[in-house]
Amino acid sequence: MRDLWRGPAEIEVVVDETAENTAQNASRTLPLLLQRGITDALIVCAPTHLPRARWIFRRIYGRHGISVRFAAARIVPTPGALIWELAALGVAARQVRSELEQP
């Protein structure tokens, strides 16, 4: 998504490239935002990923007072992406719980 960002250059883009899922991405970028004193975040994701990303990031960031906005990247959703998102719904709650239980 970093490569698809077309926003103002002065906005710092914070990325974690080690995450294996969206919940990990949220929990691993959280310390980076907290260290910088960031209280408002813009999450850029694929259009089909928006509903699940909203749910996950609001749970993880919200516990730390970080408000979250979302923007869909300008990419055409594929049938495969939609199927992936529907399948991922079944594990999203478990992934978030796992990340929130981390020390």
Side-chain angles (χ1 to χ4, degrees), residues 67-81:
S67 64
V68 188
R69 294 179 295 125
F70 295 84
R74 293 185 179 183
I75 57 175
V76 178
T78 64

Side-chain angles (χ1 to χ4, degrees), residues 2 14-32 49 52 56-57 60-61 84 95 99:
R2 173 190 8 209
V14 177
V15 178
D16 172 75
E17 296 181 9
T18 66
E20 296 178 9
N21 59 58
T22 305
Q24 284 182 358
N25 184 272
S27 69
R28 292 178 184 182
T29 55
L30 177 64
L32 303 174
H49 190 46
R52 192 164 56 93
I56 292 170
F57 276 90
I60 293 175
Y61 281 14
W84 176 267
Q95 291 172 340
E99 292 305 312

